[in-house]
């Protein structure tokens, strides 16, 4: 289906939706808070209990009437599979859930094999991968014993797939186990590569059984989606974005949908069955998979990835939580994730690297520990759940002091754990960790002073602020004058070191954290130098060879805006997230975990390309960016009682509008590039904020205003003079700016893979 066209100027002139009652994060609205034509971009299905395939992608072997599975309304025709017969079906979007079938005929002790894949590159008789133990997951093996509806068992919910392959094994297995090790493939399906990776299928017969009567007829199949359990209407978004760019609109909604897929029932967690085994003592065979490990206490939880790992990772939440807040407001899922981390806090104050099944054996990351504290700020900012914060305040302070103690006399954070986002070099006096520590310190001061009003914490302010000033001075140790960027750490990965790395994550965090906020020239220099490194398919994470990381790049997007370079943020979004939507091998609907610098879908952290997660919350930065930076809606205090609106239309957009709701009410911005009949080209800014709130509008000059509606006009042909309108411009006074032309994107070279470094940096883990 073709994507909806972008809204034209006439549509964009439509008045702002009037503000209404606030929404509750514990009882989400059942209808969209901002209804409008932009809802056509929403990827979530209207009925998630019955999602049908859209087309037949592939047929192999003995199959009759395969189209019946997509023409499911016609019950008079069924698809029939014989031994070896295979059909691969494609869904409209990347989806998740339990596979169900309407069986109209079965004979000969038949069994149906199911294989799932997010990418079209891994369709066939094996699923893509959830662990690194072998290249591909085993197919799910479903005995069919009678006609009628049948579904796979609840523990076999597949967290993400766009392609479902169903077939009858060519050779009859001797047992009926769901993961029968005797489940066999036709010899033509077993590639040299498959054999080379030592993946074993026992009981392979070289001869077909005589008089094989196995046959299955299916009139329809559908998926019962169990993701995003918090709202029975998955299209009831609490935020929206729409602009003159259909690509940017698609990107915003793909991020929102990714965050829905990665929000799951806590009882359907952790795809890492080998890691789970130390807790649940499962005996699942190698290559099998399930999703029934309980990872939290609650009704919903946000996780890293839909297919894998299906766990609460705080680093991922740094990007995911604000995106959730401005799209679906599923903050209960955020709270469950935070609880799953705090409940496993270690005696020394450290917080687990991730939620269950981690946290039982001392798994720790200095940076992810800090991301948990950042998650606390984001949760409280968007919900005003002060009682929750009070309950966790003691644990928060213990965790904060645990990190603060690692800032030594150099003014830099001394990392003691190598765990981060799988990138190498997380050690010693590290740039990213220092910047992140500084940012968390500033947020902790605000939590203690403005929200908790804790006398004990306030008594520490002098010590904390002094440490912050020491960190500001210590940053100079890592500055590389010649390159105009900061080095990764002191030593071999620092300036002029034997393994010099000028990291994307750390340099982005330097700007974001405010640690060099008094040096705007250097901030812009870093922004411009990061942009110079872009390749054809995106921004390289040079700290991790061969990697393009949407996680690190999400921080880069925010950094460009913080440096006063929003044009670069929108440009990178189109360049990189546009490729993630429309590039070969991707889902065209969700945000991938990462990919190789030459554009290949392999994420270089994993030796198996099939393991890459194509729905990963840490990759959804634009969903936050477009509302908080491009439209500029920023909450300064919980729920937005105080706010700032500082929009940037950038050179890439003719118009943009969007908004989101909190427990206080709706925040909405409409920004248009237009003409007036007498005064030439203008930018018109309309805002609407909750009554009872107050804030600052930055649109050239600065205005302090009360909540409600207001309009501002920037006269582009008159020295960009800006005035606050005393009377809103009527639509009849405005005309479309037909002279505006979107700039051409710059051509960039394809990144070159360092094959030796690729193999050296594979992460072998759960």
């Amino acid at each position: 289906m073709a994507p909806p066209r972008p809204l034209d100027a006439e549509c964009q002139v439509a008045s702002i939706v009037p503000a209404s009652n606030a929404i509750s994060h514990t009882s989400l609205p059942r209808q969209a808070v901002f209804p409008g034509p932009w809802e056509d971009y929403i990827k979530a299905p209207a009925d998630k209990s019955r999602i049908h395939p859209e087309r037949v992608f592939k047929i192999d072997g003995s199959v009759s009437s395969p189209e019946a599975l997509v023409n499911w309304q016609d019950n008079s025709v069924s698809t029939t599979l014989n031994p070896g017969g295979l059909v691969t079906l494609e869904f409209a979007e990347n989806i998740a859930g339990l596979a169900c079938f309407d069986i109209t005929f079965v004979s000969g002790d038949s069994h149906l094999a199911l294989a799932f894949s997010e990418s079209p590159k891994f369709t066939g008789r094996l699923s893509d991968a959830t662990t690194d133990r072998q290249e591909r997951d085993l197919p799910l093996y479903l005995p069919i014993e009678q006609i009628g509806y049948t579904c796979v068992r609840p523990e076999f919910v597949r967290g993400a797939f766009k392609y479902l392959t169903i077939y009858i094994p060519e050779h009859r297995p001797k047992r009926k186990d769901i993961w029968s090790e005797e489940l066999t493939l036709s010899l033509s399906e077993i590639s040299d590569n498959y054999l080379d990776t030592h993946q074993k299928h026992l009981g392979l017969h070289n001869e077909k059984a005589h008089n094989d009567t196995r046959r299955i007829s299916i009139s329809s199949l559908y998926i019962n989606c169990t993701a995003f359990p918090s709202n029975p209407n998955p299209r009831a978004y609490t935020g929206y974005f729409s602009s003159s760019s259909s690509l940017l609109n698609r990107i915003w909604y793909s991020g929102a949908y990714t965050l829905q897929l990665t929000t799951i029932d806590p009882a359907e967690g952790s795809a890492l069955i080998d890691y789970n085994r130390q807790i649940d003592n499962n005996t699942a065979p190698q290559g099998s998979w399930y999703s029934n490990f309980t990872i939290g206490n609650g009704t919903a939880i946000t996780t890293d990835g839909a297919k894998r790992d299906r766990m609460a990772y705080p680093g991922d939440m740094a990007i995911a939580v604000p995106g959730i807040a401005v799209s679906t407001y599923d903050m209960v899922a955020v709270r469950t994730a935070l609880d799953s981390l705090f409940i496993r806090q270690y005696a020394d104050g450290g917080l687990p690297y991730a939620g269950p099944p981690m946290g039982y054996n001392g798994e720790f990351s200095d940076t992810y520990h800090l991301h948990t504290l950042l998650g606390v700020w984001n949760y409280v900012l968007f919900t005003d759940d002060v009682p929750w914060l009070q309950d966790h305040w003691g644990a928060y302070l213990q965790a904060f002091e645990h990190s603060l103690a690692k800032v030594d006399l150099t003014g830099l954070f001394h990392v003691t754990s190598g765990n981060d986002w799988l990138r190498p070099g997380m050690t010693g006096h590290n740039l990213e960790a220092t910047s992140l520590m500084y940012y968390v310190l500033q947020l902790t001061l605000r939590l203690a002073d403005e929200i908790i009003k804790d006398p004990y914490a306030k008594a520490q302010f002098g010590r904390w602020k002094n440490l912050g000033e020491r960190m500001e001075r210590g940053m100079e140790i890592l500055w590389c004058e010649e390159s105009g960027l900061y080095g990764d750490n002191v030593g071999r990965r620092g300036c002029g070191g034997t393994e010099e790395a000028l990291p994307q994550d750390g340099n982005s965090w330097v700007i974001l954290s405010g640690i060099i906020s008094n040096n705007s020239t250097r901030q812009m220099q870093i922004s411009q130098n990061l942009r110079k490194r872009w390749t054809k398919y995106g921004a390289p994470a040079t700290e991790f060879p061969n990697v393009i990381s949407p996680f690190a790049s999400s921080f880069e997007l925010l950094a460009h805006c913080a440096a006063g370079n929003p044009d670069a943020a929108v440009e990178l979004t189109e360049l990189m997230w546009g490729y993630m939507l429309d590039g070969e091998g991707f889902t065209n609907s969700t945000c991938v975990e990462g990919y190789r610098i030459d554009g290949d879908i392999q994420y270089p952290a994993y030796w198996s390309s099939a393991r890459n997660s194509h729905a990963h919350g840490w990759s959804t930065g634009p969903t936050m960016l477009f509302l908080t930076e491009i439209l500029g809606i920023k909450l300064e205090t919980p729920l937005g009682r105080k706010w700032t609106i500082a929009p940037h239309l950038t050179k890439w957009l003719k118009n943009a509008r969007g908004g989101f709701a909190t427990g206080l009410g709706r925040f909405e911005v409409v920004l248009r590039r237009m003409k007036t009949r007498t005064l030439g080209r203008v930018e018109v800014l309309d805002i609407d904020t909750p009554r009872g709130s107050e804030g600052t509008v930055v649109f050239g000059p600065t205005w302090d205003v009360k909540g409600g509606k207001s309009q501002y006009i920037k006269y582009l042909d008159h020295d960009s003079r800006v005035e606050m309108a005393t009377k809103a411009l009527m639509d009849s006074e405005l005309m479309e700016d037909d002279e505006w032309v979107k700039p051409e994107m710059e051509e960039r070279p394809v990144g070159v893979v360092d094959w030796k470094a690729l193999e050296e940096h594979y992460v072998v883990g759960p």
Side-chain angles (χ1 to χ4, degrees):
M1 181 177 67
R5 66 183 180 89
L7 299 183
D8 56 26
E10 288 75 18
C11 292
Q12 292 291 326
V13 171
S15 61
I16 287 178
V17 179
S20 64
N21 294 334
I23 62 174
S24 169
H25 71 279
T26 58
S27 180
L28 296 174
R30 297 299 184 257
Q31 300 297 324
V33 173
F34 299 92
W38 39 81
E39 290 180 273
D40 290 345
Y41 286 97
I42 295 177
K43 300 289 186 181
D47 179 6
K48 70 172 190 171
S49 67
R50 281 181 173 265
I51 305 173
H52 293 273
E54 186 172 81
R55 73 183 184 101
V56 174
F57 182 76
K58 179 182 179 182
I59 306 167
D60 186 26
S62 180
V63 181
S64 64
S65 304
E67 294 293 337
L69 295 175
V70 293
N71 300 323
W72 52 272
Q73 299 94 334
D74 182 3
N75 291 327
S76 64
V77 181
S78 295
T79 297
T80 298
L81 299 171
N82 294 294
L86 171 152
V87 179
T88 299
L89 299 154
E90 181 179 7
F91 291 82
E93 320 290 355
N94 203 5
I95 59 170
L98 300 166
C100 299
F101 305 87
D102 185 3
I103 306 298
T104 57
F105 179 84
V106 59
S107 67
D109 192 22
S110 295
H111 308 79
L112 196 62
L114 284 62
F116 304 84
S117 178
E118 294 185 274
S119 169
K121 291 196 173 185
F122 303 110
T123 60
R125 298 177 190 264
L126 295 174
S127 293
D128 55 17
T130 54
T131 77
D132 68 353
R133 300 303 188 232
Q134 56 187 50
E135 187 177 6
R136 305 277 288 274
D137 287 351
L138 292 173
L140 188 63
Y141 191 38
L142 181 63
I144 304 296
E145 299 176 343
Q146 60 186 17
I147 62 173
Y149 280 99
T150 185
C151 300
V152 301
R153 298 203 305 258
E155 62 265 37
F156 298 116
V157 56
R158 188 72 174 185
F161 60 96
K162 190 177 180 182
Y163 301 89
L164 171 59
T165 298
I166 60 173
Y167 63 98
I168 296 180
E170 186 172 356
H171 306 285
R172 188 195 306 270
K174 298 176 182 177
R175 302 185 309 182
K176 298 183 180 180
D177 295 347
I178 200 87
W179 297 120
S180 176
E181 292 178 339
E182 297 170 10
L183 179 60
T184 59
L185 307 177
S186 66
L187 292 175
S188 62
E189 285 290 314
I190 302 178
S191 67
D192 291 339
N193 179 63
Y194 185 74
L195 292 173
D196 287 345
T197 57
H198 307 292
Q199 298 184 86
K200 299 177 181 178
H201 285 268
L202 305 180
L204 183 62
H205 305 291
N206 292 324
E207 297 181 5
K208 295 182 181 180
H210 295 291
N211 303 317
D212 195 336
T213 60
R214 291 177 298 150
R215 189 173 62 176
I216 301 173
S217 296
I218 309 168
S219 64
S220 70
L221 71 82
Y222 65 89
I223 305 302
N224 177 13
C225 179
T226 60
F228 41 98
S230 299
N231 197 327
N233 180 4
R235 299 176 65 85
Y237 278 23
T238 58
Y240 82 104
F241 176 78
S242 182
S243 75
S244 53
S245 169
S246 60
L247 177 58
L248 293 183
N249 298 343
R250 290 174 59 212
I251 289 169
W252 192 89
Y253 285 94
S254 71
Y257 180 55
T258 297
L259 293 169
Q260 288 182 284
L261 285 183
T262 57
T263 299
I264 66 173
D265 183 329
E268 296 179 353
S270 186
L272 305 183
I273 62 172
D274 295 311
Y275 212 93
N276 299 346
R277 187 170 294 122
Q278 61 186 317
I279 300 165
D280 67 5
N281 299 311
N282 73 78
T283 58
Q286 184 169 310
S288 60
W289 53 270
Y290 61 75
S291 298
N292 69 345
F293 188 97
T294 299
I295 59 172
N297 298 317
T299 56
I301 186 169
T302 182
T303 67
D304 61 328
K307 179 182 72 173
R308 49 139 289 269
D309 297 335
R310 298 176 69 81
M311 293 162 53
Y313 280 89
D316 306 58
M317 291 169 63
I319 298 299
V321 173
I324 291 169
V326 301
S327 60
T328 63
Y329 206 51
D330 195 354
M331 303 305 285
V332 167
V334 174
R335 184 181 66 198
T336 304
L338 289 170
D339 283 340
S340 76
L341 295 161
F342 274 102
I343 201 171
R344 304 300 307 177
Q345 187 171 24
Y346 306 130
D348 65 355
L351 292 161
Y353 182 25
M358 292 190 187
Y360 292 85
N361 295 298
E363 301 93 343
F364 180 73
S365 161
D366 281 302
T367 50
Y368 276 41
H369 170 95
L370 289 167
H371 279 302
T372 300
L373 303 186
L374 173 57
V376 170
W377 167 263
N378 283 326
Y379 172 70
V380 174
L381 180 66
F382 283 99
T383 65
D384 195 28
D385 192 348
V386 176
W388 181 91
L389 179 60
Q390 290 171 331
D391 288 343
H392 292 78
W393 185 241
Y396 179 99
L397 285 180
Q398 186 184 12
F400 176 66
E401 291 285 4
H402 178 275
S403 290
L404 215 57
K406 296 188 177 185
V407 179
D408 60 24
L409 293 177
T410 65
L412 300 174
F413 190 106
H414 191 272
V415 171
T416 58
S417 168
N419 291 325
D420 194 24
W421 54 274
L422 300 184
R423 55 95 109 196
M426 181 50 64
T427 184
H429 294 94
N430 180 263
L431 176 67
E432 178 198 4
T434 300
S435 302
L436 186 53
M437 177 74 253
Y438 183 87
Y439 189 58
V440 169
L441 189 156
Q442 307 310 312
L443 298 181
T444 302
L445 289 169
R446 295 185 61 184
L447 285 172
D449 185 35
E450 302 170 15
I451 300 174
I452 288 291
K453 305 184 188 303
D454 176 14
Y456 167 79
K458 287 185 177 182
Q460 313 304 313
F461 277 14
R463 175 170 63 91
W464 293 351
K465 290 180 179 179
N466 287 338
L467 198 59
E469 292 170 0
R470 185 195 301 170
M471 295 170 73
E472 292 171 6
R473 295 189 297 270
M475 290 296 293
E476 287 304 305
I477 299 172
L478 296 172
W479 177 247
C480 304
E481 186 65 39
E482 185 174 341
S483 64
L485 292 166
Y486 285 90
D488 200 19
N489 52 33
V490 176
R492 57 186 173 81
R493 289 174 66 90
C495 306
T498 56
E499 299 177 19
E500 182 185 74
L502 307 171
Q504 179 190 25
D505 57 7
N507 278 282
S508 298
W509 266 108
V510 166
I511 299 174
L512 278 177
S513 66
I515 198 168
I516 59 166
S517 59
N518 62 347
N519 192 338
S520 59
T521 301
R522 183 173 289 184
Q523 290 184 74
M524 180 58 74
Q525 182 183 12
I526 294 170
S527 171
Q528 291 171 341
N529 286 334
L530 287 173
R531 182 182 178 275
K532 289 176 182 177
R533 304 196 305 193
W534 297 351
T535 63
K536 181 181 177 80
Y537 299 115
T542 55
E543 60 271 34
F544 195 163
N546 302 301
V547 169
I548 291 181
S549 168
F551 176 55
S553 293
S554 288
F555 295 128
E556 182 176 331
L557 295 178
L558 298 171
H560 287 305
C561 291
N565 193 7
D567 281 346
V570 175
E571 183 182 12
L572 180 57
T573 302
E574 286 215 359
L575 172 71
M576 185 168 162
W577 274 262
Y579 178 69
M580 283 192 277
L581 274 184
D582 295 332
E584 183 182 357
F586 297 103
T587 69
N588 309 108
S589 54
T590 49
C591 299
V592 71
E593 180 180 12
Y595 52 99
R596 217 165 60 197
I597 196 169
D598 62 350
D600 188 88
I601 63 169
Q602 179 190 14
Y603 183 41
Y606 313 129
W607 64 271
S608 171
S609 298
R611 196 186 181 203
N612 199 359
S613 166
H614 288 253
H616 227 67
W618 77 4
S619 302
T620 60
T623 300
M624 163 188 21
L625 176 91
F626 293 169
L627 293 183
T628 64
E629 301 295 340
I630 304 308
L631 293 177
I633 309 170
K634 291 188 176 181
L635 308 187
E636 301 295 346
T637 61
L639 297 182
R641 294 184 182 91
K642 292 184 179 180
W643 44 264
T644 297
I645 292 178
H648 304 281
L649 193 54
T650 78
K651 67 182 182 182
W652 303 101
L653 289 168
K654 188 175 183 179
N655 48 63
R657 66 181 296 167
F660 60 88
T662 73
L664 191 65
R666 296 172 175 172
F667 297 81
E668 188 173 17
V669 167
V670 177
L671 187 57
R672 295 167 282 159
R673 201 186 303 264
M674 304 293 287
K675 281 184 177 179
T676 63
R677 299 187 183 280
T678 58
L679 294 172
R681 297 176 302 126
V682 296
E683 280 187 15
V684 182
L685 169 64
D686 291 278
I687 72 170
D688 193 10
T689 55
R691 277 53 170 180
S693 69
E694 60 183 12
T696 301
V697 177
V698 182
F699 192 56
T702 298
W703 288 269
D704 293 325
V705 299
K706 300 293 184 182
K709 292 185 178 181
S710 56
Q711 186 179 78
Y712 307 83
I713 305 165
K714 182 182 294 185
Y715 296 93
L716 302 177
D717 293 331
H718 294 269
D719 299 322
S720 293
R721 174 173 59 88
V722 182
E723 63 181 36
M724 183 177 179
T726 56
K727 180 182 178 182
L729 284 174
M730 302 299 292
D731 292 351
S732 59
E733 299 177 57
L734 296 170
M735 299 178 293
E736 183 177 353
D737 183 1
D738 52 11
E739 296 179 6
W740 180 82
V741 177
K742 181 179 177 181
E744 293 291 328
M745 290 285 286
E746 182 179 326
E747 289 291 329
R748 293 179 171 86
V750 176
V752 178
V753 176
D754 182 336
W755 297 102
K756 182 175 183 293
L758 182 70
E759 294 186 6
E760 289 175 348
H761 289 96
Y762 287 147
V763 177
V764 178

